[in-house]
Amino acid sequence: MSWSLFVWFAAAAALCWVVGSVLAFVSKKTWPAASASLLGTVAMLVFIVGMWVTLKRPPMRTMGETRLWYSFFLSLIGVVIYLSWRYKWILSFSTMMSVVFLAVNLFKPEIHNRPLMPALQSPWFVPHVIVYMFAYALLGAVTLYAVYLWIHSSRLAGRHRAEPTLEEMKRCDVLVRVGWSFLTFGMVMGALWAKEAWGDWWSWDPKETWAFATWLGYLGYLHLRQRRQDPRTAFAVLVVCFLLLQMCWYGVNYLPSARGISVHTY
Amino acid sequence: MLPWGYKRAFLCCALLFLLGVVLQFLLGAVPPHLLHYPWSAVAALVYVYALVLVYILSDRFPRLRRLSDPYSGFASIASVTLLSVIFGLVPQTGETGGALGALGWTDMRSSWAFNLLMLYMMTGIGISVVSGLHHIRTRRFVPTLSHLAVFLVLLGAFFGSGDKVEALVTAERDRPVAVGEDESGQEVELPFMLNLNDFTIDEYPARLHVVDPAVGKLSADFLQADAAGALAAVEGWDLEVLKVFDMAARMPGEDGYRELKHVGACPAALVRATRAGESVEGWVSCGSFMFEESELELSDGRLVRMPRRQAKRYLSDVTLLTGKGEKRVDISVNHPARLGPWRIYQSGYDMSRGRWSNESELLCVKDGWYPLIAFGLWLLLASGVLMFISAGGRRPKKEGKR
């Protein structure tokens, strides 16, 4: 497997996802849309596994490689949410976001092959990256869901606002709780790994600082929801948290405060 | 309209922030080694005792409950998040000049405001842990566990940071050493002696890139020169390795390289570059501390260059000598050695000599609070698993409008 084949896998995956999104609206049954979307996800998985075998290391070393995982997980989570709650629109949103990240890989590759330096040769490397990418994808999906509920609830239904139901808010909370659990796994694994590699649990590396801010942000959301605040405040907090997450994932690479000093630059 | 509970809690955070700013102006940054054992342990115990006392007294003095109510919980999290964002945006240069430096934002981890707000957050978590453990209930078990885990980690970080000893030791082959240097360059005596028996480096195969000397940036594509016959298209040129040596040298007066298994030897490859009928051939080497590098000049002015090979693994064979005896260990990155409360990490080597480095940099770290923080982190991992499993919670009986 090589990056030269990526365009074909990306095209096949995108086509399957688009077909799945359309089928979600056209078909009365859920399985045609879910199957088509899952086929796209499998195409991504085949490419990822193929790269893993070819590179003789996990494809998690470069920004381009992490985007593969993001698209893979996001499409998978989209299908799970669709099958669980029958939201037709979620497949369109997850397709849109997954395709954007595939397109970024096509137009701004950042995929050059880098060897695995000694610090990355650890049993923590693969779980640390995978749980983070899963958390990022899940929290991306919940942001889409929150924005949808926000826009939907702002429309006037007759003379009253169409408020989100308890069940909808609970789904939001559940997704954030799962996403936050995975952020916690990623952070704790990172700390345990850092202690083995460098002798410090935490060194306030710029990436770590933003990871801490993101983790705290979603923790704030969970605490805010205990008081059953206005859903719109909760949605606004989720959007801010999502921005923190983007900063943590790749925004930090462009910050003057991080340039040249972060051990997480990739 | 924001409920009064939130306004009060945010006001409290704002006052703590202002207090932090005043202390920053008066005292400067928080000293990195404020507390040392045994006073650090005493202070931690007194702090935990105070939290229990606050919890017990909160029945008689209901205002004390405000320290750990959900309003102060959210406000302290939001305030620390905000300062963390500033932490991430402001370059941490440690400069004290200018408005950012005066506020302590250029060294946020040592700023009073950040530490006071973290302490406020930790206090709220601590009291809720005491409350949770006192009224242990199945429904609140997972949150209590995760609060306890975060509290233990923060407690260890707060009270234990002053006890950590770090010493960077530069060990040369067969020259026992018992002294290292801390971050500020001060000598640190070690309670053991360290002898480097051997130091080895495994390197990744050499790579050949095409580079424009005017720009200096290596091509993204490359040819891995691990065996004769290797081929790749790089930047429009077809590169082929005709001959390759892992250890080679160019003798004075000779054009080519010859195999030489000796200290200072460098990798070298005889390369042929072809493009649209034209062909160039020559030796390319990254050189070493003994030999200069060689590049192949192409007809379009660009060069075929071999950057220094990257380390795959480096390993120190070390004997640790104490009054009780000696212990022989292998130390590599991600595989530190243990000696009582000390851990010895592979930190670096003499980069200028690369694989021929005679010395190894080893970081010796004594961290008495290791067990507490490690326990807290594993507990946090376990509570995360439980939170994931129980994320769905109980299903509401019927759907209703908010």
Side-chain angles (χ1 to χ4, degrees):
Chain A
M1 192 66 73
S2 81
W3 277 107
S4 57
L5 296 174
F6 174 66
V7 64
W8 300 108
F9 279 91
L15 186 69
C16 291
W17 291 333
V18 169
V19 169
S21 308
V22 174
L23 283 174
F25 287 98
V26 174
S27 172
K28 285 182 180 173
K29 292 177 179 169
T30 50
W31 68 265
S35 308
S37 301
L38 270 180
L39 203 61
T41 309
V42 169
M44 283 311 300
L45 185 65
V46 170
F47 184 75
I48 289 171
V49 172
M51 288 300 288
W52 197 321
V53 173
T54 309
L55 294 171
K56 294 177 189 156
R57 62 164 176 80
M60 302 171 178
R61 179 72 183 88
T62 63
M63 194 54 86
E65 289 166 7
T66 64
R67 284 190 204 115
L68 291 177
W69 290 95
Y70 190 81
S71 295
F72 166 72
F73 279 128
L74 195 65
S75 59
L76 188 66
I77 292 164
V79 174
V80 172
I81 292 177
Y82 172 66
L83 287 175
S84 304
W85 299 326
R86 311 286 159 91
Y87 286 132
K88 294 172 181 173
W89 53 270
I90 190 76
L91 288 182
S92 311
F93 278 104
S94 63
T95 296
M96 188 180 70
M97 274 184 85
S98 300
V99 170
V100 163
F101 282 94
L102 292 186
V104 173
N105 262 8
L106 284 171
F107 299 117
K108 189 176 184 295
E110 296 178 288
I111 51 173
H112 36 280
N113 188 1
R114 287 184 187 169
L116 217 52
M117 54 191 189
L120 293 181
Q121 293 164 27
S122 162
W124 290 114
F125 178 44
V126 174
H128 174 68
V129 177
I130 284 188
V131 296
Y132 258 127
M133 292 323 293
F134 180 78
Y136 288 1
L138 189 62
L139 293 168
V142 75
T143 309
L144 292 176
Y145 185 44
V147 169
Y148 165 79
L149 290 178
W150 200 353
I151 294 168
H152 185 66
S153 65
S154 300
R155 281 193 208 142
L156 290 176
R159 288 190 175 183
H160 304 285
R161 275 180 164 181
E163 295 291 314
T165 63
L166 270 179
E167 188 65 19
E168 285 168 335
M169 290 310 291
K170 187 170 178 281
R171 283 170 192 164
C172 233
D173 295 349
V174 169
L175 289 175
V176 174
R177 214 167 287 145
V178 175
W180 184 82
S181 301
F182 276 80
L183 281 185
T184 306
F185 296 153
M187 204 164 77
V188 172
M189 285 174 184
L192 291 168
W193 179 11
K195 189 68 180 173
E196 285 301 293
W198 298 304
D200 263 323
W201 303 106
W202 195 263
S203 50
W204 294 109
D205 176 275
K207 190 98 168 179
E208 291 173 3
T209 306
W210 284 101
F212 180 65
T214 309
W215 182 80
L216 273 183
Y218 284 106
L219 188 64
Y221 169 88
L222 293 174
H223 281 78
L224 181 78
R225 290 288 301 146
Q226 279 184 350
R227 291 281 96 183
R228 304 237 165 228
Q229 268 293 311
D230 167 33
R232 281 161 204 84
T233 312
F235 297 150
V237 170
L238 277 183
V239 171
V240 171
C241 289
F242 185 67
L243 295 176
L244 291 178
L245 194 153
Q246 301 309 306
M247 188 61 105
C248 174
W249 183 16
Y250 53 84
V252 67
N253 292 349
Y254 303 100
L255 281 181
S257 58
R259 205 159 288 170
I261 56 166
S262 175
V263 296
H264 288 89
T265 308
Y266 54 89
Chain B
M1 186 75 180
L2 203 63
W4 166 242
Y6 283 118
K7 285 182 186 165
R8 175 189 43 74
F10 274 109
L11 189 66
C12 187
C13 290
L15 288 174
L16 276 174
F17 175 76
L18 285 177
L19 176 65
V21 171
V22 171
L23 287 174
Q24 192 82 28
F25 274 112
L26 293 176
L27 306 172
V30 181
H33 297 284
L34 194 61
L35 287 168
H36 283 289
Y37 186 81
W39 297 113
S40 53
V42 171
L45 285 174
V46 169
Y47 174 69
V48 173
Y49 177 68
L51 295 183
V52 176
L53 213 60
V54 166
Y55 171 69
I56 293 168
L57 291 175
S58 59
D59 280 342
R60 279 177 63 187
F61 305 99
R63 286 190 176 193
L64 289 175
R65 286 185 195 151
R66 291 179 183 173
L67 279 170
S68 60
D69 66 13
Y71 300 115
S72 67
F74 178 73
S76 62
I77 290 171
S79 305
V80 177
T81 308
L82 184 64
L83 280 189
S84 301
V85 169
I86 296 168
F87 194 161
L89 289 173
V90 177
Q92 299 296 296
T93 56
E95 285 171 16
T96 49
L100 298 177
L103 285 166
W105 289 1
T106 51
D107 185 14
M108 189 66 95
R109 63 194 289 184
S110 305
S111 81
W112 283 97
F114 186 67
N115 280 283
L116 282 176
L117 282 165
M118 284 283 271
L119 190 68
Y120 179 54
M121 188 173 80
M122 180 168 77
T123 302
I125 298 170
I127 297 170
S128 61
V129 168
V130 177
S131 164
L133 293 175
H134 185 217
H135 302 289
I136 193 90
R137 282 174 296 172
T138 317
R139 200 169 64 82
R140 295 286 304 162
F141 178 71
V142 177
T144 302
L145 203 65
S146 54
H147 279 93
L148 175 65
V150 173
F151 179 71
L152 291 178
V153 173
L154 289 178
L155 190 76
F158 249 89
F159 292 94
S161 63
D163 288 325
K164 194 175 170 197
V165 182
E166 276 191 1
L168 186 66
V169 176
T170 305
E172 290 179 47
R173 266 199 186 90
D174 298 322
R175 293 185 71 174
V177 59
V179 179
E181 274 187 4
D182 66 12
E183 269 188 349
S184 57
Q186 297 289 311
E187 277 196 356
V188 179
E189 279 196 35
L190 300 169
F192 54 88
M193 198 168 269
L194 199 149
N195 186 61
L196 181 68
N197 306 313
D198 197 13
F199 179 70
T200 47
I201 300 184
D202 294 338
E203 291 176 313
Y204 283 103
R207 292 175 164 195
L208 299 170
H209 294 261
V210 171
V211 58
D212 182 348
V215 182
K217 196 179 173 193
L218 295 173
S219 58
D221 296 330
F222 60 88
L223 167 62
Q224 188 158 300
D226 48 359
L231 285 161
V234 182
E235 300 273 306
W237 285 90
D238 291 326
L239 300 184
E240 183 186 0
V241 174
L242 303 174
K243 205 184 273 183
V244 63
F245 296 127
D246 180 44
M247 283 199 244
R250 181 150 63 182
M251 296 299 147
E254 289 182 7
D255 285 339
Y257 281 75
R258 65 164 77 169
E259 193 164 27
L260 182 77
K261 297 203 171 175
H262 192 272
V263 172
C266 52
L270 180 61
V271 182
R272 182 191 292 145
T274 48
R275 186 179 70 171
E278 55 176 319
S279 177
V280 194
E281 198 176 300
W283 284 93
V284 180
S285 170
C286 59
S288 70
F289 73 98
M290 261 178 141
F291 298 101
E292 284 188 0
E293 65 178 320
S294 300
E295 291 162 337
L296 175 64
E297 192 170 345
L298 302 170
S299 57
D300 57 7
R302 291 187 291 175
L303 305 166
V304 178
R305 181 178 289 171
M306 180 192 289
R308 287 276 173 108
R309 296 195 298 186
Q310 285 188 281
K312 191 177 187 180
R313 180 170 178 256
Y314 37 105
L315 184 138
S316 297
D317 171 4
V318 171
T319 301
L320 303 167
L321 302 113
T322 62
K324 293 175 185 170
E326 61 179 59
K327 184 179 174 185
R328 191 161 179 164
V329 286
D330 283 342
I331 304 172
S332 60
V333 178
N334 282 315
H335 300 283
R338 273 189 74 176
L339 186 72
W342 289 85
R343 278 175 171 73
I344 301 137
Y345 299 86
Q346 180 68 61
S347 178
Y349 56 93
D350 183 353
M351 302 280 275
S352 63
R353 289 176 69 98
R355 72 194 289 186
W356 303 113
S357 173
N358 271 327
E359 55 187 47
S360 173
E361 286 177 2
L362 298 160
L363 183 70
C364 303
V365 179
K366 185 186 173 192
D367 188 359
W369 295 71
Y370 182 100
L372 180 78
I373 297 181
F375 178 71
L377 287 170
W378 282 102
L379 198 65
L380 190 56
L381 214 52
S383 64
V385 172
L386 291 175
M387 183 179 263
F388 171 56
I389 294 167
S390 63
R394 292 175 188 165
R395 295 184 73 80
K397 285 175 184 168
K398 60 180 180 181
E399 196 166 290
K401 296 279 178 187
R402 261 196 62 83

